[in-house]
Amino acid sequence: MSSVKKVTLKSSDGEIFEVEETVAMESQTIKGLIEDDCADNAIPLPNVTGHILSLVIQYCKEHTSSSDSNSSKSNEKLKAWDTQFINVDLNVLFDLIMAANYLNVKGLLDLTCQTVADMIKEKTPEQIRAMFNIVNDFTPEEEEEVRRENAWAFEISLKNNNVVDTFEVEESMAKELQTIKNMIEDNYTDSVIPLHNVTSDILELVIEDCKKHVEAAESESEPSYSLASKLIDDPLKA
Amino acid sequence: MSSSMLNNLPEDVLMDIFARLPVKSLLQFKCVCKSWCNLIKDPIFITKHVNKSALGNNGYLAVTRQGSTFGGNCSISLISYETFHEVIRITIPSKEYGKAPFTIVGSCNGILCLNVTEIGDTNFLFNPATSEFKELPKPNYPIHELKEDTISDFIGLGFGYEPESNDYKLVRISYSKRLENQFYSGVDVYSLSTNSWRRKNRLVLGTVLVNSFSKAFINGALHWRGVTLKRGDVRCRIISFDVGSEVTRYIKLPYKIDLAKEEWWPFVRNGSLAMVIRSKTHEEHHYIFNIWKMNEYGVKKSWTKQLTVGPLFVLKLVECGMNEELLFATHSTMYLYDLQRIKPPHDDILEADIIGNNFVPWVEVVNHIESLVTIEGTKVYAKRVRKNSWFGKYFIFFQLLFGLVVMVAYVVILPKLIHFFYPTNVSE
């Protein structure tokens, strides 16, 4: 039991790779072949070139060893390795996706798909078309229709609502403040009451405090104790 | 190697990539090309996207806000689950009821169920991401003859999803009668797939106590706080209703609650059924909150006390965050209470952050994700406003800065201009 079992993989362009069985089994496709006893000779992989296959094997090696030796590689280190690993050009990235899909290597497929998703997340449709050479087969009217249906998604954000913070408060609360109460009673107020001596933050806190006092008085819902007794005494039986 | 490789990917891989994108990107990408548009509209993809979103951490808390004092419509606030800052505010697009105070009954797969009347007969479904709004038909079933303001104390609503039939259901449970020393309630079920209500022909035991929305949709069932009668004595139970099998169950509480001193509510915490018990203290309007979690669903012995907080000057616990953040509410104000910042004995509400102060009473908050799920509603225009962008926060600063620059320019450049145009002003 001293020798480690190995399998032979052959890429589409004829390159031969010898890998440990445990590493190769990261690929569910290869795992299936091994378990069905079809793996005595070299396993041909016509959909994967040598260059890409070597990358996939690298990935599998890194990820097998970490699960073997009981997290000798911490999660952060593995993530950092993944980030380094996936820093390849776009064509290689897509070849890796195809290979991970064909060979059914879940972790690699996750990593590559997430990378592409992060790449396209912030882009506009025009940028996407340019980046991936996609032909726009909508007529201008059709495209306009789609944009209109989903208008909010196309809005450029950062719309600020308040220029100067105005606090709209209920009269009952404003009256808690004697000054304002006097102003109201003197019919001073048809519009906003300007409070020059008070900054926004302080005013906010004061309003909060007044609110609490008013709320505490008015707000408690009927406690369930009395509700339940209401039902027990409910004259409308049956 | 042409760079149209993205489009050459097999469809299920493309779906995998798209399922990781936020709804906003997906809506934009619909107009990239027809095949992308069809993919994004595909119900199979939409389900994949929802399932992926449910696992992620970029959900929101949704809660309704009152319109402004000067007659605005009610709106929905989406609060980030990570920062507890309001991110977006969406006006509720209902012409007829817009100014009425809406409350959120529940949120399933990105669809909000909104309610406007306390007897639970006027309800809406709203997907803010797809701008679809649907007014549901009224359940034309009579409820108890108690006066409307009384019966509303014994009505529960709940919104749930049934995966087997891919159907969304709204359940209304209302007190019906007292018979042989026991309470009974009627159950009405609305199903989105038939767009109609149906009344169950058997009454269920017990009654919901205090108009409540089911905050706990877990294990395929809705849960309400309720009571049954036993030998003339009121017993508290969590009433659970499975939306698929429509079976009612009764879950016992950790101990016999003394309703004269304590209030309680069920909710979901970290994927388990939980409840909060609020006890009075010597100080008026100050309460202590105990949070319990049911480690094994339905097993009374598995109730475990998790946290004790207070006394606090608040009315109820609204929601729990991922990292021991608690949200409390008074009548219409919500406070963030971060246990990691506040040291024991955890009774210092003054340090808490106010999240907002004009929410619709009684501040019903739900967990919400964005999704593309369609409800066959009408497409409406719903005004959306982004909140708390850094630009907004410092807007006044920029204004002042701009003003300062203008002033400086005025002071420095103007004399030079005058000198330029009227050289005779310069004294020799």
Side-chain angles (χ1 to χ4, degrees):
Chain A
M1 280 292 173
S2 52
S3 68
V4 177
K5 256 198 116 184
K6 294 210 173 189
V7 284
T8 317
L9 306 172
K10 185 166 159 189
S11 72
S12 62
D13 43 1
E15 253 186 272
I16 306 277
F17 297 86
E18 236 190 38
V19 271
E20 290 176 19
E21 196 178 82
T22 43
V23 172
M25 303 250 270
E26 288 283 310
S27 154
Q28 298 295 314
T29 313
I30 296 179
K31 180 170 183 231
L33 290 173
I34 294 176
E35 286 169 352
D36 287 348
D37 258 345
C38 303
D40 290 331
N41 305 321
I43 302 178
L45 301 170
N47 293 349
V48 193
T49 64
H51 172 49
I52 299 299
L53 187 54
S54 68
L55 287 174
V56 175
I57 291 171
Q58 240 181 68
Y59 178 89
C60 294
K61 268 200 184 128
E62 194 66 27
H63 282 252
T64 325
S65 65
S66 67
S67 55
D68 262 353
S69 29
N70 278 356
S71 55
S72 59
K73 266 223 162 74
S74 70
N75 266 335
E76 286 94 43
K77 278 203 180 145
L78 204 54
K79 273 209 173 109
W81 188 92
D82 280 349
T83 315
Q84 257 294 55
F85 174 76
I86 209 64
N87 191 11
V88 291
D89 80 49
L90 214 55
N91 290 323
V92 176
L93 183 58
F94 284 120
D95 286 339
L96 276 175
I97 293 184
M98 298 293 266
N101 188 40
Y102 170 65
L103 292 171
N104 202 346
V105 183
K106 186 170 184 322
L108 183 57
L109 190 58
D110 254 339
L111 177 63
T112 47
C113 285
Q114 188 62 48
T115 309
V116 175
D118 292 336
M119 209 186 286
I120 62 177
K121 198 159 42 174
E122 301 289 325
K123 301 237 177 327
T124 66
E126 293 75 23
Q127 289 170 324
I128 298 278
R129 287 191 207 115
M131 201 165 158
F132 301 109
N133 257 343
I134 300 180
V135 173
N136 181 4
D137 53 353
F138 280 118
T139 68
E141 294 82 33
E142 285 169 339
E143 183 176 341
E144 184 51 42
E145 173 73 30
V146 176
R147 279 179 187 258
R148 219 172 346 107
E149 265 182 11
N150 307 291
W152 74 264
F154 292 92
E155 278 165 16
I156 300 173
S157 47
L158 294 187
K159 203 171 170 202
N160 184 43
N161 215 24
N162 299 320
V163 172
V164 171
D165 289 359
T166 49
F167 294 94
E168 294 153 294
V169 291
E170 284 180 44
E171 218 176 279
S172 56
M173 281 177 299
K175 283 195 173 165
E176 290 260 335
L177 301 165
Q178 283 294 63
T179 319
I180 298 183
K181 182 174 179 207
N182 293 336
M183 280 184 179
I184 293 174
E185 287 171 352
D186 289 345
N187 272 338
Y188 181 94
T189 61
D190 279 323
S191 55
V192 178
I193 302 178
L195 297 168
H196 301 293
N197 294 348
V198 192
T199 65
S200 280
D201 301 314
I202 302 297
L203 187 56
E204 191 164 11
L205 285 174
V206 171
I207 289 172
E208 269 324 295
D209 198 52
C210 292
K211 263 207 172 126
K212 268 199 204 171
H213 284 273
V214 172
E215 280 176 13
E218 77 179 45
S219 57
E220 290 216 38
S221 59
E222 188 157 9
S224 33
Y225 176 61
S226 56
L227 279 177
S229 14
K230 236 193 233 175
L231 275 190
I232 296 181
D233 300 331
D234 176 11
L236 297 155
K237 290 191 213 179
Chain B
M1 296 280 173
S2 77
S3 51
S4 61
M5 290 235 86
L6 182 58
N7 237 6
N8 289 344
L9 292 176
E11 195 175 79
D12 55 342
V13 175
L14 208 55
M15 278 198 186
D16 191 321
I17 296 174
F18 283 0
R20 298 159 193 268
L21 296 174
V23 164
K24 183 170 172 187
S25 300
L26 290 172
L27 292 177
Q28 285 194 25
F29 292 172
K30 267 183 170 178
C31 71
V32 167
C33 66
K34 284 187 179 168
S35 64
W36 279 35
C37 190
N38 291 330
L39 185 70
I40 293 170
K41 289 201 285 198
D42 187 341
I44 296 176
F45 166 68
I46 291 178
T47 310
K48 280 202 174 152
H49 178 258
V50 164
N51 292 336
K52 202 132 216 162
S53 301
L55 296 172
N57 280 339
N58 47 359
Y60 299 97
L61 293 172
V63 57
T64 45
R65 266 184 202 272
Q66 310 187 51
S68 67
T69 324
F70 301 110
N73 269 17
C74 198
S75 59
I76 297 168
S77 282
L78 294 184
I79 298 171
S80 153
Y81 205 54
E82 276 183 284
T83 63
F84 292 100
H85 286 135
E86 186 185 12
V87 176
I88 309 169
R89 193 179 297 185
I90 304 163
T91 312
I92 296 179
S94 167
K95 289 205 175 76
E96 206 182 330
Y97 295 96
K99 298 189 193 352
F102 280 76
T103 23
I104 300 183
V105 179
S107 170
C108 282
N109 295 343
I111 298 175
L112 291 169
C113 180
L114 304 168
N115 167 269
V116 136
T117 55
E118 286 183 332
I119 56 168
D121 66 347
T122 310
N123 304 289
F124 305 84
L125 294 184
F126 184 32
N127 184 338
T130 63
S131 295
E132 279 184 309
F133 191 74
K134 184 187 176 93
E135 178 168 354
L136 302 186
K138 293 198 203 303
N140 285 320
Y141 293 107
I143 47 179
H144 196 281
E145 290 141 31
L146 292 174
K147 286 196 308 221
E148 186 165 313
D149 60 349
T150 319
I151 188 60
S152 61
D153 287 328
F154 305 105
I155 293 187
L157 283 180
F159 184 57
Y161 172 68
E162 197 195 334
E164 292 83 25
S165 54
N166 193 26
D167 195 11
Y168 295 88
K169 294 195 171 164
L170 175 61
V171 178
R172 179 177 78 166
I173 172 169
S174 58
Y175 173 70
S176 180
K177 58 172 77 169
R178 185 172 147 216
L179 190 60
E180 287 170 14
N181 283 328
Q182 192 47 272
F183 297 136
Y184 289 94
S185 296
V187 177
D188 304 315
V189 181
Y190 166 87
S191 145
L192 181 63
S193 56
T194 62
N195 192 30
S196 64
W197 289 86
R198 187 180 26 98
R199 171 161 279 194
K200 283 182 69 66
N201 37 27
R202 287 180 132 223
L203 296 177
V204 302
L205 196 66
T207 177
V208 163
L209 203 58
V210 177
N211 182 13
S212 63
F213 297 150
S214 162
K215 282 286 98 73
F217 180 57
I218 189 171
N219 293 342
L222 296 164
H223 299 78
W224 293 276
R225 78 177 207 170
V227 291
T228 57
L229 263 185
K230 193 165 184 179
R231 285 180 284 246
D233 193 23
V234 163
R235 291 293 161 94
C236 293
R237 294 281 184 270
I238 294 177
I239 300 178
S240 101
F241 182 83
D242 186 303
V243 295
S245 63
E246 300 198 355
V247 166
T248 316
R249 288 180 63 176
Y250 303 88
I251 298 176
K252 292 188 181 164
L253 303 188
Y255 60 89
K256 186 172 191 298
I257 303 260
D258 178 3
L259 282 180
K261 299 202 188 107
E262 295 167 309
E263 292 287 350
W264 63 279
W265 295 272
F267 66 109
V268 173
R269 184 157 201 239
N270 293 337
S272 302
L273 185 61
M275 59 179 279
V276 55
I277 301 178
R278 184 192 84 178
S279 328
K280 292 187 183 168
T281 62
H282 304 297
E283 269 184 274
E284 213 188 339
H285 302 307
H286 282 73
Y287 299 98
I288 291 187
F289 296 84
N290 286 301
I291 297 172
W292 295 71
K293 189 167 131 175
M294 191 172 230
N295 288 319
E296 231 184 294
Y297 183 74
V299 176
K300 178 183 167 173
K301 287 206 188 107
S302 71
W303 278 113
T304 327
K305 193 194 284 200
Q306 296 214 305
L307 286 176
T308 301
V309 180
L312 297 178
F313 185 64
V314 287
L315 280 182
K316 68 179 212 173
L317 173 72
V318 161
E319 185 56 79
C320 288
M322 297 182 291
N323 300 314
E324 313 250 299
E325 303 102 340
L326 302 174
L327 292 179
F328 288 98
T330 56
H331 187 59
S332 58
T333 306
M334 201 162 39
Y335 299 89
L336 171 64
Y337 198 75
D338 190 345
L339 288 173
Q340 291 181 336
R341 270 195 300 126
I342 300 170
K343 304 284 171 240
H346 295 317
D347 61 358
D348 200 355
I349 193 71
L350 291 176
E351 286 197 35
D353 300 336
I354 297 175
I355 292 183
N357 56 16
N358 63 340
F359 295 108
V360 170
W362 302 90
V363 192
E364 301 284 1
V365 173
V366 298
N367 285 309
H368 177 70
I369 56 171
E370 291 207 298
S371 83
L372 295 167
V373 177
T374 174
I375 52 174
E376 311 288 331
T378 353
K379 280 267 187 180
V380 288
Y381 169 67
K383 182 172 145 190
R384 299 169 72 105
V385 178
R386 278 198 174 255
K387 290 283 161 190
N388 279 334
S389 53
W390 66 268
F391 181 69
K393 261 197 187 125
Y394 298 112
F395 191 60
I396 293 176
F397 171 71
F398 285 123
Q399 275 198 313
L400 288 174
L401 192 62
F402 181 66
L404 200 64
V405 167
V406 167
M407 258 171 44
V408 167
Y410 200 69
V411 166
V412 167
I413 294 178
L414 195 59
K416 297 214 163 120
L417 280 177
I418 292 175
H419 175 76
F420 183 72
F421 283 112
Y422 300 97
T424 50
N425 274 354
V426 175
S427 49
E428 292 286 325

